[in-house]
Amino acid sequence: MFLKSAEIFALKSGGINPVLLRLTTDSGVVGLGEAAVAYGVGAKAAAAMLQELAERFLRGGVDPYRTESIAASIKDFSFWAKGGGPILHAGLSAIEQALIDIKARSLDVPVYELLGGRMRDTLRTYANGWYFGCSSDRELPAAAERTVADGYSSLKFYPFAEILDDGRLRHPSLRGSADPDLVKRGVALVAAVREAVGTDVELLLDLSAGLTPFDAIRFCHEIEKYDVAFVEEPTEPDDLNALKLISDRVSQPIAVGERLYGRQGFRDLLESRSVAILQPDLGNTGGIWEARKIAAMAEAYGLKVQPHICASSLSTAIGAHFSASIPSFYVQEHFPYWARVPGYVEVLQDPLEPRVQNGRLPVDDRPGFGVDLDDERIADFLFCRIDLT
């Protein structure tokens, strides 16, 4: 069996721009992957990077079973992979995921079987994106109540972000240094949401490195009474001294990882002992197998692992196999309300999100990742098709 073709799709889907890869072998087995830079900027660059990587490293009768060998070649001979970086690692992630999907489908097993086997049948989730459709902070408490009524007992939100009409978030600029009311606004929002949902609902806060370290510390002190389960990215994730400064002075667990790449990107973070929860993004850290190695490192340091997910529903399906197979799993992120955003495109035929019950995500036991692209919906977003023979 060898790789025959690659198709890359670059979508515009509401507030995100997913980049999808489908590899096909000479025997007709397909594998799917996603370059998870759907938010922020970089999606067009990731699609072009995927094209270049496929043309250089996947041509000429490549055996898709040789996942480690192919990934090592990309790291060794792309030059830019060493030292990190989101665009190349997003492309590498999509390729690695698609190769593993091919292997699992050809063996007629779910991907989690290749990661050590399933440890759990359903996954506790937290809802992100529940605030879609809100136009002001005043509307968030009622939206949180509705989300809890849908069966979710864990919610994440961004106390300092502005929610734009297209579903994207606008985070504070310049660390909020020119806005003396920013911390006060964030505290008030946390208080209002906590009052709305009660004490039994888990609240998770993403600061997105939007504050100075000392403002982050002040904010964390002022929200102690609201029982926040974790604070994500209180400062830049590669500023280990700042992370250590904050973690030593606040009571909330610190979560970090979506903007770190490969095992090497997490090594010094682990050694710093400044975090409690690792959040590798399977679509930009090097892939699902690379993230499995990061999870093993986290386990050695006694940390919890929560895969970061903010892309299409394919990324949710991929993340579910990862979460089902790791001992240190904490909670699964997902976005159940993307359809509220105008222009949203569902990329899968049978996504997991509608199958969530009481805040728990099922683990699909079909071969591979257990999902297939909806060709009719994504046909207009084909970026390129590459002959790999």
Side-chain angles (χ1 to χ4, degrees), residues 25 62 85 124 139 158 213 310 354:
T25 70
V62 171
R124 188 174 75 90
E139 298 177 11
Y158 306 78
C310 182

Side-chain angles (χ1 to χ4, degrees), residues 1 34 40-42 56 66 80 95-96 144-145 151 182 207 213 230 234 257 273 287 303 312 314 318 320 364:
M1 184 168 61
E34 179 161 5
V41 298
R56 180 165 179 179
R66 301 185 66 181
W80 298 109
I95 290 171
E96 187 249 46
E145 286 184 289
L182 188 61
L207 308 193
F230 72 62
R273 294 287 187 175
L303 304 184
S312 79
L314 175 58
I318 294 170
D364 208 311

Side-chain angles (χ1 to χ4, degrees), residues 242-259:
L243 278 171
K244 185 66 172 171
L245 176 75
I246 294 168
S247 66
D248 284 348
R249 289 164 174 78
V250 305
S251 61
Q252 298 89 354
I254 303 297
V256 166
E258 72 184 88
R259 291 190 269 197

Side-chain angles (χ1 to χ4, degrees), residues 36-307:
V37 286
Y39 53 101
V41 298
K44 290 181 180 178
M49 176 63 75
L50 255 179
Q51 179 181 4
E52 189 168 352
L53 291 176
E55 290 174 344
R56 180 165 179 179
F57 295 100
L58 302 182
R59 265 189 170 146
V62 171
D63 178 358
Y65 271 36
R66 301 185 66 181
T67 311
E68 286 276 24
S69 178
I70 295 168
S73 292
I74 293 174
K75 292 174 184 176
D76 288 340
F77 302 121
S78 64
F79 187 84
W80 298 109
K82 295 182 178 179
I87 302 305
L88 195 144
H89 276 83
L92 169 60
S93 298
I95 290 171
E96 187 249 46
Q97 292 168 354
L99 293 172
I100 290 176
D101 194 21
I102 286 173
K103 182 181 292 187
R105 291 185 193 226
S106 67
L107 295 173
D108 199 32
V109 298
V111 163
Y112 60 71
E113 296 290 8
L114 306 184
L115 303 176
R118 183 168 62 182
M119 298 189 69
R120 47 197 69 85
D121 298 330
T122 63
L123 305 171
R124 188 174 75 90
T125 69
Y126 68 76
N128 203 338
W130 54 270
Y131 40 78
F132 290 156
C134 295
S135 59
S136 69
D137 289 354
R138 292 190 301 274
E139 298 177 11
L140 286 174
E145 286 184 289
R146 291 192 295 271
T147 308
V148 172
D150 285 344
Y152 291 98
S153 60
S154 184
L155 313 179
K156 187 170 93 171
F157 65 104
Y158 306 78
F160 305 112
E162 175 188 359
I163 306 164
L164 303 180
D165 291 339
D166 64 0
R168 292 178 299 117
L169 299 177
R170 183 177 179 83
H171 298 288
S173 62
L174 305 175
R175 292 187 165 190
S177 57
D179 185 354
D181 296 325
L182 188 61
V183 170
K184 185 185 301 184
R185 174 201 163 213
V187 173
L189 189 55
V190 174
V193 172
R194 172 55 79 197
E195 182 178 2
V197 301
T199 58
D200 292 335
V201 173
E202 186 179 55
L203 294 184
L204 316 171
L205 303 182
D206 191 342
L207 308 193
S208 294
L211 302 178
T212 66
F214 288 100
D215 277 345
I217 292 169
R218 180 161 65 96
F219 170 74
C220 289
H221 286 171
E222 294 190 24
I223 62 167
E224 281 186 349
K225 61 184 175 182
Y226 302 118
D227 189 26
V228 170
F230 72 62
V231 173
E232 182 175 339
E233 281 199 340
T235 189
E236 278 83 353
D238 60 347
D239 188 347
L240 297 184
N241 288 330
L243 278 171
K244 185 66 172 171
L245 176 75
I246 294 168
S247 66
D248 284 348
R249 289 164 174 78
V250 305
S251 61
Q252 298 89 354
I254 303 297
V256 166
E258 72 184 88
R259 291 190 269 197
L260 299 173
Y261 312 105
R263 285 159 284 166
Q264 293 81 2
F266 286 84
R267 180 185 57 211
D268 292 343
L269 176 68
L270 291 167
E271 285 294 323
S272 75
R273 294 287 187 175
S274 59
V275 297
I277 300 152
L278 290 194
Q279 299 174 306
D281 191 309
L282 281 58
N284 68 23
T285 199
I288 189 170
W289 180 236
E290 182 71 11
R292 184 66 180 84
K293 297 173 184 176
I294 293 167
M297 294 167 64
E299 186 182 358
Y301 282 80
L303 304 184
K304 299 176 182 179
V305 177
Q306 176 253 295

